[in-house]
Amino acid sequence: MFAVIGKKSTAKKREQFAAAASADDRMVLPRPLRRVVRFGVSLATGRIHIPAHTGTIAAVAFYAATGLYGMSLGGHTNIVTQATTSAAGFAVEDVKVSGNLQTSEIDVFQLLGLDGSTSLIALDIDAARRKLVQLPWVEDVDIRKIYPKTVEVRLKEREAFGIWQHGSELSLIEKSGSVIAPLRDNKFASLPLFVGRDAETGAAGFVEQLADWPEIRSRVRAYVRIAGRRWDLHLDNGIVVKLPEENLPQALQLLARLDLEEKVLSRDVAAVDLRLSDRTTIQLTEGAAERRQAAVDARTKLSRKRRRTHELFRFFPFRSASSEAAFFQAQPHRFGARHRLDQGRVHDRPADAPSGKRNPAWPHPQGRNHRHRPPAFAGREVWRDC
């Protein structure tokens, strides 16, 4: 029995060896291609079952892929997607905008491109955010999709700190000095005005230094930057305060003390110069300067008159007022008023003389119009206005 089995196994091995030897004479396909060939042979011989309508579906898929490739190549994918999804019920019908104090909702709608047929699915959030950030008042924006038909837009706007005048143009600026937008109306008239080159960059720091002097800060109408180094304060009453480049707190303390003690900011003053640490220069207005000059002239004239009177009484010392009056009444022709010719009369008559007549007891020795002086004091300036 064992001998028969051994003969059969030996015969099988011989057949396999012969088949292998004959196979070596034929071409052998690579392993990846063997499965493809086997699948093709099975499909041709009918050993693989193909479901119904497989060819139709395959054709539709082929044409769809071709169309998508063409849309992508031509840049029409977004349009087709919007049209398709909008028809399916995903068109944007409601837009909620919040945080817009200075930005118009119309500007937001125009930049988003919402025309009633925009699809919520096809809306590009990143592109819409980049567009909205370009608005002058918008600092940051957050856009959210709320399916099926709502878009929520949250804006964070810039805060106006002041008005910057550069040349003839007025612009709104932030606290950092960045320009927000040109000034178009009087809505921001209460903001401080900064004038000059580089005034927008140093505005916030300078205003913070004025925080310790609120009585001065409340009266400032404009902050003028001079040569990019120092500031001038233009007050509400027209006074210009010229501040130094350095030691600003010391100058402001001096100005506050002058206003408290001397009311210098409430007078007819044109400018207060604090640029020099060892002195303060005050410039008067034109009207105040004229009044001061008139007062100085009047004071000078009065001083001269008092000096002449003092010289007169130095020559004639009187013990009392009665003796002084008696002395001048006794000699009216020597110490009376100046002789003036008026309508043919001389006005140096005594008090008891009749009106319009000259007392013959004091005739003029050298004529009617002669101004008589005592010989002892003739030529002295002290008698000229007595």
Side-chain angles (χ1 to χ4, degrees):
M1 178 177 179
F2 293 102
V4 175
I5 295 175
K7 291 180 178 179
K8 291 183 178 180
S9 61
T10 304
K12 290 182 179 180
K13 288 181 180 180
R14 289 176 180 176
E15 292 178 359
Q16 292 177 359
F17 180 76
S22 60
D24 291 337
D25 298 337
R26 293 178 298 177
M27 183 182 63
V28 179
L29 295 175
R31 181 168 294 182
L33 295 179
R34 294 176 188 175
R35 295 181 180 180
V36 177
V37 173
R38 291 173 185 173
F39 177 78
V41 172
S42 301
L43 184 64
T45 57
R47 287 184 294 177
I48 297 177
H49 177 69
I50 300 176
H53 308 291
T54 302
T56 304
I57 296 175
V60 171
F62 174 74
Y63 287 117
T66 305
L68 291 175
Y69 177 74
M71 288 187 297
S72 176
L73 193 63
H76 305 290
T77 306
N78 191 21
I79 299 175
V80 175
T81 304
Q82 285 191 7
T84 305
T85 54
S86 297
F90 291 97
V92 177
E93 296 182 358
D94 187 14
V95 179
K96 298 180 180 179
V97 181
S98 60
N100 56 324
L101 298 178
Q102 308 298 333
T103 305
S104 174
E105 292 184 356
I106 299 177
D107 297 337
V108 175
F109 297 157
Q110 290 179 352
L111 291 179
L112 290 178
L114 303 178
D115 54 1
S117 61
T118 304
S119 173
L120 185 62
I121 299 176
L123 181 63
D124 191 351
I125 298 297
D126 295 334
R129 183 182 293 109
R130 288 193 297 268
K131 292 180 181 179
L132 293 180
V133 169
Q134 295 178 359
L135 291 174
W137 283 97
V138 176
E139 181 179 1
D140 193 11
V141 59
D142 183 22
I143 303 177
R144 298 175 58 187
K145 295 181 180 180
I146 302 177
Y147 288 95
K149 301 179 181 181
T150 305
V151 176
E152 184 178 2
V153 180
R154 296 180 181 179
L155 300 178
K156 181 181 178 182
E157 293 186 337
R158 299 178 179 179
E159 183 178 357
F161 174 74
I163 302 173
W164 177 40
Q165 179 179 349
H166 46 105
S168 59
E169 299 180 359
L170 296 176
S171 301
L172 295 171
I173 60 174
E174 292 182 283
K175 197 171 184 179
S176 61
S178 301
V179 177
I180 299 176
L183 182 64
R184 301 300 184 187
D185 49 26
N186 297 327
K187 186 190 304 183
F188 303 95
S190 60
L191 294 177
L193 175 63
F194 301 93
V195 183
R197 180 173 56 88
D198 298 333
E200 76 283 8
T201 57
F206 181 70
V207 172
E208 289 179 358
Q209 292 182 356
L210 287 178
D212 295 334
W213 293 273
E215 65 279 358
I216 299 177
R217 180 179 175 180
S218 61
R219 301 184 60 177
V220 176
R221 187 179 61 182
Y223 303 86
V224 181
R225 187 71 166 168
I226 305 298
R229 299 182 294 105
R230 63 175 193 86
W231 292 90
D232 281 354
L233 302 181
H234 290 243
L235 304 185
D236 51 2
N237 56 355
I239 297 178
V240 179
V241 180
K242 300 179 180 181
L243 298 176
E245 183 178 356
E246 300 178 353
N247 298 325
L248 184 60
Q250 180 181 355
L252 292 174
Q253 183 65 30
L254 176 60
L255 179 63
R257 182 171 60 84
L258 291 176
D259 187 42
L260 180 62
E261 297 177 358
E262 305 294 339
K263 303 296 181 183
V264 68
L265 299 181
S266 301
R267 298 190 176 187
D268 291 339
V269 175
V272 179
D273 194 346
L274 302 173
R275 291 177 292 179
L276 300 178
S277 59
D278 58 343
R279 71 193 67 180
T280 301
T281 305
I282 297 179
Q283 178 184 355
L284 299 177
T285 60
E286 184 177 355
E290 293 177 356
R291 292 192 297 269
R292 180 182 180 277
Q293 187 62 35
V296 170
D297 295 342
R299 184 181 301 176
T300 304
K301 185 176 181 180
L302 180 61
S303 177
R304 290 178 181 176
K305 185 175 182 180
R306 288 180 178 176
R307 186 168 59 251
R308 291 174 182 176
T309 305
H310 175 71
E311 292 178 0
L312 172 64
F313 282 99
R314 187 177 61 180
F315 287 105
F316 299 97
F318 299 101
R319 296 182 178 180
S320 62
S322 60
S323 61
E324 177 185 355
F327 176 80
F328 283 104
Q329 288 179 2
Q331 303 184 24
H333 66 288
R334 298 180 63 183
F335 305 104
R338 289 183 177 183
H339 298 287
R340 298 188 302 272
L341 182 62
D342 186 12
Q343 297 180 358
R345 301 190 301 272
V346 179
H347 291 256
D348 56 352
R349 55 186 174 77
D352 55 350
S355 177
K357 296 182 180 180
R358 182 171 56 85
N359 195 339
W362 298 283
H364 294 288
Q366 297 184 8
R368 176 174 177 178
N369 298 331
H370 176 69
R371 181 178 180 181
H372 180 70
R373 295 179 180 178
F377 301 98
R380 290 195 179 187
E381 186 69 20
V382 66
W383 301 106
R384 183 168 299 172
D385 294 331
C386 293

Short mmCIF file of all heavy atoms in Angstrom, two decimals, residues 329-334 339 346 348-353 358-365:
data_model
loop_
_atom_site.label_atom_id
_atom_site.label_comp_id
_atom_site.label_asym_id
_atom_site.label_seq_id
_atom_site.Cartn_x
_atom_site.Cartn_y
_atom_site.Cartn_z
N GLN A 329 -2.02 185.67 47.13
CA GLN A 329 -3.04 186.70 46.91
C GLN A 329 -2.44 188.08 46.98
O GLN A 329 -2.94 189.01 46.34
CB GLN A 329 -4.14 186.54 47.97
CG GLN A 329 -5.01 185.32 47.74
CD GLN A 329 -6.07 185.20 48.82
OE1 GLN A 329 -6.18 186.06 49.71
NE2 GLN A 329 -6.86 184.13 48.71
N ALA A 330 -1.36 188.22 47.71
CA ALA A 330 -0.75 189.54 47.82
C ALA A 330 -0.02 189.94 46.56
O ALA A 330 0.15 191.14 46.29
CB ALA A 330 0.22 189.57 49.01
N GLN A 331 0.43 188.99 45.76
CA GLN A 331 1.17 189.30 44.54
C GLN A 331 0.58 188.54 43.36
O GLN A 331 1.20 187.63 42.80
CB GLN A 331 2.64 188.93 44.72
CG GLN A 331 3.29 189.64 45.90
CD GLN A 331 4.76 189.34 46.01
OE1 GLN A 331 5.39 188.99 45.01
NE2 GLN A 331 5.32 189.47 47.20
N PRO A 332 -0.62 188.87 42.94
CA PRO A 332 -1.24 188.14 41.82
C PRO A 332 -0.58 188.42 40.49
O PRO A 332 -0.63 187.61 39.58
CB PRO A 332 -2.68 188.63 41.84
CG PRO A 332 -2.59 189.99 42.45
CD PRO A 332 -1.50 189.93 43.47
N HIS A 333 0.06 189.60 40.33
CA HIS A 333 0.70 189.88 39.05
C HIS A 333 1.98 189.10 38.88
O HIS A 333 2.50 189.00 37.77
CB HIS A 333 0.98 191.38 38.94
CG HIS A 333 1.99 191.86 39.93
ND1 HIS A 333 1.72 191.99 41.30
CD2 HIS A 333 3.30 192.22 39.76
CE1 HIS A 333 2.80 192.42 41.92
NE2 HIS A 333 3.78 192.57 41.00
N ARG A 334 2.52 188.54 39.97
CA ARG A 334 3.78 187.80 39.87
C ARG A 334 3.56 186.28 39.85
O ARG A 334 4.28 185.56 39.17
CB ARG A 334 4.69 188.16 41.03
CG ARG A 334 5.08 189.63 41.04
CD ARG A 334 5.97 189.93 42.22
NE ARG A 334 7.23 189.17 42.08
CZ ARG A 334 8.18 189.20 43.01
NH1 ARG A 334 7.99 189.90 44.13
NH2 ARG A 334 9.27 188.51 42.82
N HIS A 339 -0.78 185.13 31.45
CA HIS A 339 -1.56 186.17 30.77
C HIS A 339 -1.99 185.64 29.42
O HIS A 339 -1.18 185.21 28.63
CB HIS A 339 -0.72 187.42 30.61
CG HIS A 339 -0.30 188.03 31.94
ND1 HIS A 339 -1.16 188.70 32.76
CD2 HIS A 339 0.90 188.01 32.57
CE1 HIS A 339 -0.51 189.10 33.85
NE2 HIS A 339 0.75 188.68 33.76
N VAL A 346 -7.44 190.61 29.62
CA VAL A 346 -6.37 189.83 30.20
C VAL A 346 -6.91 189.16 31.44
O VAL A 346 -7.44 189.82 32.34
CB VAL A 346 -5.16 190.71 30.56
CG1 VAL A 346 -4.07 189.86 31.20
CG2 VAL A 346 -4.62 191.39 29.31
N ASP A 348 -5.92 187.93 34.31
CA ASP A 348 -5.09 187.80 35.48
C ASP A 348 -5.50 188.84 36.54
O ASP A 348 -4.72 189.32 37.32
CB ASP A 348 -3.61 187.98 35.15
CG ASP A 348 -3.35 189.31 34.46
OD1 ASP A 348 -4.33 189.98 34.13
OD2 ASP A 348 -2.17 189.65 34.28
N ARG A 349 -6.77 189.20 36.52
CA ARG A 349 -7.30 190.18 37.44
C ARG A 349 -7.54 189.54 38.79
O ARG A 349 -7.72 188.33 38.89
CB ARG A 349 -8.60 190.75 36.91
CG ARG A 349 -9.63 189.70 36.58
CD ARG A 349 -10.85 190.32 35.92
NE ARG A 349 -11.76 189.28 35.48
CZ ARG A 349 -12.59 188.59 36.27
NH1 ARG A 349 -12.60 188.83 37.58
NH2 ARG A 349 -13.38 187.68 35.78
N PRO A 350 -7.59 190.30 39.83
CA PRO A 350 -7.90 189.76 41.16
C PRO A 350 -9.36 189.38 41.28
O PRO A 350 -10.18 189.68 40.42
CB PRO A 350 -7.52 190.91 42.11
CG PRO A 350 -7.63 192.13 41.27
CD PRO A 350 -7.21 191.73 39.89
N ALA A 351 -9.69 188.72 42.36
CA ALA A 351 -11.05 188.22 42.54
C ALA A 351 -12.07 189.33 42.74
O ALA A 351 -13.23 189.20 42.37
CB ALA A 351 -11.09 187.26 43.73
N ASP A 352 -11.64 190.48 43.31
CA ASP A 352 -12.59 191.55 43.58
C ASP A 352 -12.73 192.55 42.44
O ASP A 352 -13.47 193.51 42.54
CB ASP A 352 -12.18 192.31 44.85
CG ASP A 352 -10.74 192.82 44.74
OD1 ASP A 352 -10.04 192.41 43.76
OD2 ASP A 352 -10.32 193.59 45.60
N ALA A 353 -12.03 192.34 41.32
CA ALA A 353 -12.11 193.26 40.19
C ALA A 353 -13.39 193.02 39.43
O ALA A 353 -13.87 191.89 39.36
CB ALA A 353 -10.91 193.09 39.28
N ARG A 358 -9.70 195.35 33.80
CA ARG A 358 -8.40 195.10 34.38
C ARG A 358 -8.13 196.14 35.46
O ARG A 358 -8.40 197.32 35.29
CB ARG A 358 -7.33 195.17 33.30
CG ARG A 358 -5.93 194.86 33.80
CD ARG A 358 -4.99 194.74 32.62
NE ARG A 358 -5.02 195.96 31.80
CZ ARG A 358 -4.28 197.05 32.07
NH1 ARG A 358 -3.49 197.08 33.12
NH2 ARG A 358 -4.36 198.09 31.27
N ASN A 359 -7.60 195.70 36.57
CA ASN A 359 -7.32 196.61 37.67
C ASN A 359 -6.13 197.49 37.32
O ASN A 359 -5.05 196.98 37.03
CB ASN A 359 -7.00 195.80 38.93
CG ASN A 359 -7.05 196.67 40.20
OD1 ASN A 359 -6.94 197.90 40.12
ND2 ASN A 359 -7.20 196.02 41.33
N PRO A 360 -6.32 198.79 37.27
CA PRO A 360 -5.19 199.68 36.90
C PRO A 360 -4.10 199.70 37.94
O PRO A 360 -3.03 200.25 37.69
CB PRO A 360 -5.86 201.04 36.75
CG PRO A 360 -7.06 200.95 37.60
CD PRO A 360 -7.55 199.54 37.56
N ALA A 361 -4.34 199.06 39.11
CA ALA A 361 -3.28 199.08 40.12
C ALA A 361 -2.13 198.18 39.75
O ALA A 361 -1.04 198.31 40.30
CB ALA A 361 -3.86 198.65 41.47
N TRP A 362 -2.37 197.26 38.80
CA TRP A 362 -1.29 196.37 38.35
C TRP A 362 -1.13 196.47 36.84
O TRP A 362 -1.50 195.58 36.08
CB TRP A 362 -1.62 194.93 38.72
CG TRP A 362 -1.73 194.74 40.19
CD1 TRP A 362 -0.72 194.66 41.06
CD2 TRP A 362 -2.93 194.64 40.92
NE1 TRP A 362 -1.18 194.49 42.35
CE2 TRP A 362 -2.57 194.47 42.29
CE3 TRP A 362 -4.31 194.67 40.62
CZ2 TRP A 362 -3.49 194.34 43.31
CZ3 TRP A 362 -5.20 194.54 41.64
CH2 TRP A 362 -4.80 194.38 42.98
N PRO A 363 -0.69 197.61 36.39
CA PRO A 363 -0.52 197.74 34.93
C PRO A 363 0.68 196.91 34.45
O PRO A 363 1.59 196.61 35.21
CB PRO A 363 -0.25 199.22 34.75
CG PRO A 363 0.39 199.64 36.03
CD PRO A 363 -0.23 198.82 37.12
N HIS A 364 0.60 196.58 33.19
CA HIS A 364 1.71 195.85 32.57
C HIS A 364 2.75 196.86 32.14
O HIS A 364 2.46 197.72 31.30
CB HIS A 364 1.24 195.06 31.36
CG HIS A 364 0.30 193.95 31.75
ND1 HIS A 364 0.73 192.82 32.39
CD2 HIS A 364 -1.04 193.81 31.59
CE1 HIS A 364 -0.29 192.03 32.63
NE2 HIS A 364 -1.39 192.62 32.16
N PRO A 365 3.94 196.78 32.65
CA PRO A 365 4.92 197.82 32.33
C PRO A 365 5.42 197.74 30.90
O PRO A 365 5.85 198.75 30.36
CB PRO A 365 6.05 197.56 33.32
CG PRO A 365 5.92 196.11 33.65
CD PRO A 365 4.45 195.81 33.59
#
